[in-house]
Structures are given as C-alpha cells and as structure tokens.
Amino acid sequence: RLAAPGAAMLRRSLWLCLCLCSCPARGLRIHEYLYFQVLSPGDIRYIFTATPAKDFGGVFNTRYDQIHLVPADPPEACGDLNNGVFIQDQIALVERGGCSFLSKTRVIQEHGGRAVIIADNAYDNDSFYIEMIQDSTRRTADIPALFLLGRDGYMIRRSLEQHGLPWAVISIPVNVTSIPTYEMMQPPWTFW
C-alpha cells in the first residue's frame, strides 16, 4: 500500500489524466476543466481549476501566456463598470450574484473583455462547482465564461488588495499534462 502523500499524488495524477484525455480538440465543454496559472503576484502563483459555462459563451482557441485578470468594479458586474477601460482586451474576474451568469458575461463582452471568470460568492466554497447555464432571455455571448471556486476567487482578490494591485497576470489555458505532478503549484487551500 502507498504512503498517504504518495497515494494522494497518484490519485491526483490519475484524475488529471482522466479529465484531460477527454478534452476535445475544438475546446472545452461542460464537465471538463480548464486550468490557469497566476504569474503575479507571487504569493498566489498557483494553478487554478475552472469549469466552462454549460450552454453559452465561446471556447479558448487562443493561449494567453500573459494576460491581465482584472477584478470587475463593482464585483458582480451586473451593469456599467467603473473600471471597464481596464477590462478591454483582458480577462475579468467577476463575483457570482445580483444577475445571471449570462448577463455578467455580456457586460464583460460589451466592455471588450476576452473572457470572464465568475467566482462563487460563497468564500468558503473550495470544492463545489456550479453549472453556469443560460438564462431565459434568448441572448447570447461569444466570449468564454468560466466558473471558479469561491475560495480561489476570494484569495486572488485578497492578494491583489494586500499588494495594492489593480490586476493579476495569468497564463490561460495551462496544459497540466506537460507539468510533472511534483511541480504542480496547486492552491494549498484546495484539494484536487
């Protein structure tokens, strides 16, 4: 029998392989994961897991080696943004609540964002992914929309506030199959 740390690493490796082997070449769909890495600030330089929207939004057909992850102001992004100029050509970090996932995605798209990452508003959520579905308005969105665990979104925003930074620098998507398991920098608060 494997020792506890070795067994956990083996389970994690097998899980990642199963998740990634099922990804179609055209892009990610529901029940699959997309990974991104925070490059700066350094205290949250981890690889994070997100899930794509179920039935709206685009897919990542481009890899961004360095792009800004800009927290929306106001965080729920249900209307005009105070920092919309910083969202243009970047990725927005939005908080769940106040309006539909599709409405948030459309607000970011209208401000020129390349994608939106919507973090759960339950800051203690470190394991439960929400299925983001289209609302009943028949509207569409073209940019990718991803769901992020509440704890991850909270820790990213908290780090930016502590450092007085308007955004994080991220790489998205990250191919975790090319990273040896022992080098995976995972958030210490999240079990994979």
Side-chain angles (χ1 to χ4, degrees):
R1 186 163 197 223
L2 293 172
M9 187 178 297
L10 179 61
R11 279 192 309 274
R12 186 177 308 123
S13 296
L14 290 171
W15 178 83
L16 287 173
C17 181
L18 287 172
C19 289
L20 292 169
C21 291
S22 65
C23 291
R26 65 182 172 9
L28 295 170
R29 291 288 172 221
I30 191 64
H31 299 304
E32 296 168 1
Y33 298 93
L34 182 136
Y35 302 91
F36 69 93
Q37 182 175 18
V38 173
L39 304 174
S40 173
D43 62 330
I44 54 167
R45 193 177 167 93
Y46 300 115
I47 294 176
F48 293 89
T49 305
T51 57
K54 179 179 180 180
D55 55 7
F56 69 89
V59 295
F60 276 94
N61 293 321
T62 303
R63 182 177 192 284
Y64 300 100
D65 290 322
Q66 291 189 4
I67 192 166
H68 294 160
L69 178 63
V70 183
D73 178 21
E76 292 179 342
C78 291
D80 285 333
L81 300 178
N82 298 325
N83 65 339
V85 66
F86 297 115
I87 302 252
Q88 186 168 352
D89 293 324
Q90 306 303 323
I91 297 175
L93 177 63
V94 172
E95 192 170 296
R96 180 182 179 201
C99 61
S100 71
F101 293 119
L102 178 58
S103 293
K104 295 171 185 300
T105 304
R106 287 182 54 87
V107 166
I108 299 307
Q109 181 175 306
E110 290 165 5
H111 282 85
R114 295 191 184 218
V116 59
I117 298 175
I118 302 172
D120 197 354
N121 55 1
Y123 299 148
D124 59 344
N125 179 6
D126 60 1
S127 61
F128 183 68
Y129 288 92
I130 304 291
E131 268 193 7
M132 296 192 312
I133 59 173
Q134 189 176 53
D135 57 22
S136 59
T137 62
R138 298 187 188 196
R139 297 175 300 166
T140 62
D142 298 321
I143 64 171
L146 305 170
F147 183 81
L148 181 66
L149 296 174
R151 175 65 56 89
D152 292 346
Y154 169 76
M155 296 301 279
I156 292 170
R157 284 189 301 272
R158 188 180 84 168
S159 176
L160 294 176
E161 289 170 7
Q162 288 175 340
H163 293 287
L165 297 171
W167 53 69
V169 178
I170 67 170
S171 175
I172 188 169
V174 172
N175 180 358
V176 296
T177 60
S178 66
I179 302 171
T181 304
Y182 63 88
E183 289 182 12
M184 293 276 290
M185 291 295 296
Q186 306 155 5
W189 55 86
T190 302
F191 176 74
W192 281 34

